Amino acid sequence: MSPQILFFIIIGILLLDFIIDKVIDHLNAQHFDDPIPEELADVYNKEEYYKSQAYKKENYRFSLVTSGFTIVLTLAFFIFKGFAWVDQFARGFSDHEITIALIFFGVIVIGSNVLNTPFSYYHTFVIEEKYGFNRSSKRLFFVDKIKGWLLSAIIGGVVLAIIIWFYQKTGNLFWIYTWLFIGAFTIFMTVFYSSLIVPIFNKQTPLEDGELKDSIYAFSKKAGFKLRNIFVIDGSKRSTKANAYFSGLGPKKRIVLYDTLINDLETNEIVAVLAHEIGHYKKKHVVINMIISLLVTGITLYIFSLFVNNKLLSQALSVEIPSFHIGLITFGILYSPISEVTGLLMNYISRMFEYQADDFAKMHYSGQPLISSLKKLSRNSLSNLTPHKANVFVHYSHPTLLQRVRNLNLDASLNNKMTSRVI
Ligand SMILES: [Zn+2]
């Protein structure tokens, strides 16, 4: 194959990916004004409903502009040999492959971040602000950005340097060492994420004594879940949107509730959300997800190792000296259709897990408070109640609100039937 053909394949993949994405967004937007399903009629009142319509449409237009800008810039970068230029620029500073790769990715990541910042600024301070979601100050916004950049420079830089070092020392076998390293790193991050990374951005405080804590402990005891750490995170300093999540493994496991969640929901609704999170843990979703993603990483690294020495990968981007970092870029794009498919599969599994966690909450606690909490969370984030099937299939890691409410109601009515038969 000639480098030119490979180059056109790359451009084709980038374009196709963009077009598919836009078609899905368009289909989704066609259903913005669909009638709200009966089960969800109580989510919005009229005024909130109109607000949610406007919010969806504004976000849609915004994403058209940002993605349009990104694809034009990306294509231009490829067509005008941007990678060759950055590669040469990096080689001006050093002869050392690891240093060159660090400068190379540094320039690309910083460049794309800087270009992206006006868009995220607009999203936070114009769109989110207009709909009353934003709580972040401009100072906090930029401090967050800088912290994020530093953090990814340190972590990304170290990880990249180690991988290239493996490649230099072991050649094509680098994939095995990299795989082991990424495996160990992933487990480390899963365990220590809440105690190492989260404090850089947020304050976490143990949930204070009171009715909520008692109810949570009473439930987790009943469900046979050893819960030692419940933390409240100050999500309200950035946004009014609420959330809860589970993190860590073994003794480090903890449940984190956003302060906004505690404000918005009643005690039994919070316990229901928690029951859902405990369901994820009890059904071993955290571990299964980790194993799947490690398998995917291993396979991807192995396939990459088959191509990494191929000069075509560099030539396709008009780079004269073949290198690991250029190979990584070209391979990343050539491989993206496959990773899209794995992504679809992972989302499918994730949606299945969400149903299982909902079922757990329903069985061990109750479905109704979970329904009302999900509805409240949807109302408070003005979410789209009528997404298009294609959009759900491709992008949703959770089933839609309607699907979850139906699932939660479904078994409840089955249970009722069963009890009535018993009675
Ligand atoms: Zn969940």
Side-chain angles (χ1 to χ4, degrees):
M1 192 192 291
S2 77
Q4 283 76 20
I5 292 181
L6 194 56
F7 174 77
F8 285 118
I9 293 176
I10 289 172
I11 298 292
I13 289 175
L14 289 171
L15 271 174
L16 193 69
D17 183 55
F18 175 76
I19 291 167
I20 292 175
D21 228 41
K22 290 309 108 188
V23 169
I24 292 171
D25 283 357
H26 174 75
L27 284 174
N28 197 48
Q30 297 303 98
H31 292 267
F32 279 167
D33 296 325
D34 278 8
I36 300 285
E38 200 184 314
E39 292 96 324
L40 307 182
D42 55 347
V43 173
Y44 294 129
N45 65 31
K46 248 205 167 83
E47 193 189 325
E48 288 160 341
Y49 175 68
Y50 289 133
K51 201 171 153 192
S52 82
Q53 296 297 92
Y55 183 60
K56 291 191 280 207
K57 288 170 189 171
E58 190 145 0
N59 269 320
Y60 175 53
R61 283 193 298 270
F62 177 73
S63 93
L64 275 182
V65 174
T66 45
S67 59
F69 176 80
T70 308
I71 187 73
V72 168
L73 219 70
T74 309
L75 289 176
F77 198 75
F78 276 85
I79 291 166
F80 295 109
K81 302 179 176 151
F83 291 107
W85 184 84
V86 179
D87 187 61
Q88 235 167 20
F89 173 81
R91 284 178 192 282
F93 291 91
S94 172
D95 295 329
H96 196 271
E97 276 300 315
I98 293 179
T99 317
I100 294 168
L102 290 177
I103 298 174
F104 176 84
F105 280 111
V107 170
I108 288 172
V109 172
I110 291 170
S112 62
N113 264 315
V114 167
L115 288 170
N116 185 38
T117 299
F119 293 104
S120 67
Y121 183 92
Y122 182 88
H123 189 256
T124 305
F125 294 105
V126 179
I127 301 181
E128 297 288 288
E129 185 79 41
K130 186 163 146 191
Y131 292 90
F133 292 129
N134 179 45
R135 288 274 192 82
S136 178
S137 66
K138 286 170 187 162
R139 185 173 174 275
L140 180 65
F141 175 85
F142 285 107
V143 169
D144 276 353
K145 285 267 171 207
I146 291 165
K147 282 181 184 170
W149 289 346
L150 284 176
L151 198 65
S152 46
I154 294 167
I155 295 178
V158 170
V159 170
L160 183 71
I162 291 176
I163 295 174
I164 298 180
W165 183 71
F166 284 147
Y167 177 64
Q168 287 175 341
K169 295 285 169 200
T170 66
N172 280 16
L173 286 181
F174 83 94
W175 75 272
I176 298 177
Y177 297 94
T178 303
W179 192 23
L180 289 173
F181 168 66
I182 291 182
F185 184 73
T186 309
I187 294 169
F188 176 82
M189 280 314 245
T190 310
V191 175
F192 293 103
Y193 175 76
S194 278
S195 38
L196 286 182
I197 306 292
V198 177
I200 299 175
F201 297 94
N202 283 89
K203 209 184 276 163
Q204 300 173 98
T205 38
L207 178 65
E208 52 188 57
D209 292 336
E211 188 211 352
L212 179 59
K213 193 171 176 180
D214 294 342
S215 312
I216 291 174
Y217 274 116
F219 169 74
S220 45
K221 208 173 157 197
K222 204 184 98 197
F225 179 78
K226 279 195 199 104
L227 183 59
R228 253 169 279 169
N229 308 308
I230 314 170
F231 284 87
V232 180
I233 196 169
D234 56 344
S236 61
K237 76 173 181 181
R238 295 195 180 81
S239 168
T240 60
K241 290 177 181 172
N243 208 346
Y245 64 88
F246 189 92
S247 92
L249 284 173
K252 279 291 201 178
K253 64 181 190 278
R254 63 168 79 181
I255 280 181
V256 181
L257 304 170
Y258 276 52
D259 52 356
T260 38
L261 188 89
I262 294 177
N263 281 336
D264 294 350
L265 302 184
E266 306 294 330
T267 299
N268 66 342
E269 291 170 334
I270 298 173
V271 178
V273 170
L274 223 100
H276 169 99
E277 297 303 327
I278 291 176
H280 278 308
Y281 185 83
K282 281 277 181 182
K283 302 269 173 190
K284 308 225 173 340
H285 295 161
V286 184
V287 177
I288 298 173
N289 277 333
M290 214 151 83
I291 292 171
I292 296 177
S293 88
L294 279 177
L295 277 178
V296 170
T297 309
I299 295 168
T300 310
L301 282 168
Y302 172 69
I303 299 175
F304 180 41
S305 78
L306 300 178
F307 294 96
V308 64
N309 289 327
N310 197 324
K311 287 195 180 84
L312 260 182
L313 294 185
S314 306
Q315 288 165 350
L317 298 185
S318 310
V319 177
E320 280 168 34
I321 308 170
S323 63
F324 188 89
H325 57 269
I326 298 289
L328 191 59
I329 298 266
T330 313
F331 176 78
I333 293 162
L334 292 175
Y335 194 71
S336 63
I338 299 176
S339 51
E340 288 284 339
V341 174
T342 1
L344 289 180
L345 218 75
M346 298 282 264
N347 269 344
Y348 178 80
I349 294 172
S350 167
R351 291 193 298 266
M352 222 169 64
F353 285 173
E354 292 305 324
Y355 281 127
Q356 291 179 5
D358 280 353
D359 288 344
F360 181 91
K362 181 174 53 189
M363 272 190 34
H364 295 266
Y365 189 66
S366 170
Q368 290 314 310
L370 188 56
I371 291 180
S372 67
S373 69
L374 290 173
K375 283 182 175 176
K376 268 190 192 169
L377 293 175
S378 292
R379 176 189 314 140
N380 292 354
S381 58
L382 295 177
S383 38
N384 180 11
L385 301 184
T386 55
H388 188 267
K389 271 185 190 150
N391 190 32
V392 176
F393 181 70
V394 175
H395 294 132
Y396 275 43
S397 61
H398 288 57
T400 65
L401 180 63
L402 179 64
Q403 289 171 324
R404 293 179 77 176
V405 168
R406 280 191 179 155
N407 175 57
L408 285 164
N409 274 331
L410 178 76
D411 280 15
S413 60
L414 269 181
N415 286 345
N416 287 343
K417 264 181 216 147
M418 271 159 60
T419 29
S420 58
R421 223 178 290 148
V422 172
I423 293 164

